[in-house]
């Protein structure tokens, strides 16, 4: 039996694993951040998760065996009952069939403590709902602006899952027959606002249309192979015209989709998070507010539209909430 109330939370992303160890008041006592392995498939990912737990536990001054449990927020299709993750397309080499991540992680650590899985966006929204920007609200729409644009709904205190895929705000159509989305369909908000879609657009305009931009030189300076949130931010700070144009287009698409979703479910608050959302912060949340206004049915009485309050650790804090307290 666990002898402490300490819990670990793991946020498994396409680029990094964030681990924390928290106490019963959700205070972070130890943390670790490791790159998500690009090769080696599920085995390598589970090894990295285990290493991150060990490092975060060491930071908190305890052995992993002293933890009451571990929660993991993961991309892909999660079966929380079985503790499996399937079709996590953000994770390189992840198979279509379910991988028993919970059992493998416990085994990797040589422990018999509970490991609970949840959807990465769902747990991040739960954290904002319980501990962060939506803490005094009954219903919230989450918009997580990152590589894609994830979304989630909590209605009257209950996560709304529909038949399993509710809240996919990134795939709300903002342009009929519009730009091709990563999901294969056309005109989704994510095709305009997701970091991956923005990068593809920037590359096309730069390489095929001769548009000048500092985006790719900043990428090389930083030794990166893709346009991270930080690179977009730096380019915008330097007044890069193409970057600003694509960011404005992204904000417009987010505004249209979020306003349409608000018109449908009428939550009292919209929380904007995700890698780009957190990096660009309040000034760009204000732009999203402005972009929503023309499409809001109750434009004289809009919901609160706020920046995620838990920052980079929101996903890991939400994952820790999966462990029964
Ligand atoms: Zn789509």
């Amino acid at each position: 039996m666990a002898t402490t109330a300490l819990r670990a939370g793991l946020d498994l992303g396409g680029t990094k694993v964030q681990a924390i160890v928290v106490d019963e008041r959700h205070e972070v006592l130890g943390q670790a951040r490791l790159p998500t392995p690009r090769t080696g498939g599920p085995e390598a990912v589970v090894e990295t998760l285990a290493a991150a737990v060990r490092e975060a536990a060491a930071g908190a001054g305890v052995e992993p065996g002293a933890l009451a449990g571990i929660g993991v927020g993961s991309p892909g299709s999660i079966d929380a009952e079985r503790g499996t993750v399937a079709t996590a397309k953000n994770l390189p080499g992840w198979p279509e069939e379910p991988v028993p991540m919970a059992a493998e992680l416990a085994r990797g650590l040589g422990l018999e403590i509970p490991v609970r899985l949840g959807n990465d966006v769902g747990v991040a929204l739960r954290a904002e709902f319980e501990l962060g920007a939506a803490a005094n609200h009954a219903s919230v729409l989450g918009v997580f602006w990152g590589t894609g644009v994830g979304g989630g709904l909590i209605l009257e205190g209950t996560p709304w899952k529909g038949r399993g895929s509710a809240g996919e705000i990134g795939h709300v159509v903002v342009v009929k027959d519009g730009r091709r989305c990563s999901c294969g369909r056309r005109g989704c908000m994510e095709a305009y606002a997701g970091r991956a879609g923005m990068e593809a657009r920037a590359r096309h305009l730069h390489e095929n249309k001769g548009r000048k931009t500092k985006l790719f030189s900043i990428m090389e300076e930083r030794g990166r192979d893709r346009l991270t949130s930080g690179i977009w931010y730096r380019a915008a700070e330097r007044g890069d015209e193409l970057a600003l144009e694509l960011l404005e287009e992204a904000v417009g698409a987010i505004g249209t989709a979020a306003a349409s979703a608000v018109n449908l479910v009428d939550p009292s608050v919209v929380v904007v998070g995700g890698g780009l959302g957190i990096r660009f912060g309040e000034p760009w949340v204000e732009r999203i507010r402005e972009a929503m206004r023309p499409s809001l049915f109750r434009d004289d009485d809009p919901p609160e539209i706020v920046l995620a309050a838990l920052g980079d650790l929101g996903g890991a804090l939400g994952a820790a909430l999966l462990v029964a307290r």
Side-chain angles (χ1 to χ4, degrees), residues 170-171 181-183 185 188:
H171 303 284
C181 180
S182 64
C183 73
R185 293 164 196 84
C188 300

Side-chain angles (χ1 to χ4, degrees), residues 67-323:
L67 298 168
I70 300 169
V72 185
S74 172
S77 176
I78 314 296
D79 186 328
E81 297 276 300
R82 294 194 167 83
T84 61
V85 178
T87 60
K89 62 178 177 173
N90 285 350
L91 303 175
W94 204 269
E96 288 290 313
E97 58 269 22
V99 173
M101 183 193 281
E104 296 289 338
L105 177 55
R107 188 174 313 139
L109 288 164
L111 298 175
E112 289 186 15
I113 60 174
V115 177
R116 306 275 179 246
L117 307 186
N119 168 271
D120 52 357
V121 174
V123 301
L125 183 60
R126 191 80 209 174
E128 291 295 334
F129 185 75
E130 290 201 21
L131 312 171
N136 296 310
H137 292 264
S139 297
V140 54
L141 167 68
V143 179
F144 292 87
W145 183 23
T147 303
V149 185
L153 279 170
I154 296 174
L155 302 177
E156 304 296 343
T158 305
W160 182 258
K161 294 181 178 165
R163 290 176 299 141
S165 61
E168 288 288 359
I169 193 151
H171 303 284
V172 165
V173 175
V174 293
V175 180
K176 185 159 167 52
D177 299 323
R179 205 172 290 161
R180 180 75 73 183
C181 180
S182 64
C183 73
R185 293 164 196 84
R186 285 193 175 277
C188 300
M189 178 258 268
E190 182 171 305
Y192 300 87
R195 200 190 50 70
M198 289 164 66
E199 174 168 341
R201 187 71 181 163
R203 244 177 230 292
H204 169 71
L205 293 174
H206 179 58
E207 288 168 9
N208 304 329
K209 305 283 177 186
R211 291 288 305 272
K212 289 192 167 50
T213 178
K214 300 188 184 80
L215 281 164
F216 298 102
S217 50
I218 298 171
M219 182 181 86
E220 273 163 35
E221 273 164 40
R222 294 189 163 197
R224 308 302 291 262
D225 58 3
R226 58 195 186 94
L227 300 179
T228 60
S229 308
I231 292 167
W232 281 101
Y233 188 76
R234 179 64 58 87
E237 263 192 331
R238 292 189 193 171
D240 186 81
E241 260 180 46
L242 182 65
L244 287 167
E245 184 182 306
L246 292 174
L247 283 159
E248 287 293 347
E249 187 176 60
V251 161
I254 292 170
T256 300
S260 300
V262 165
N263 292 347
L264 189 66
V265 296
D266 199 19
S268 56
V269 63
V270 177
V271 174
V272 179
L276 279 164
I278 287 164
R279 172 68 67 146
F280 279 84
E282 175 51 35
W284 285 73
V285 171
E286 174 57 22
R287 290 175 193 230
I288 291 172
R289 271 184 213 112
E290 289 297 322
M292 286 174 69
R293 194 157 297 147
S295 304
L296 280 176
F297 183 68
R298 286 177 67 176
D299 54 356
D300 59 334
D301 181 25
E304 285 183 43
I305 298 151
V306 297
L307 182 64
L310 303 172
D312 255 1
L313 293 184
L317 282 162
L321 289 173
L322 293 168
V323 181

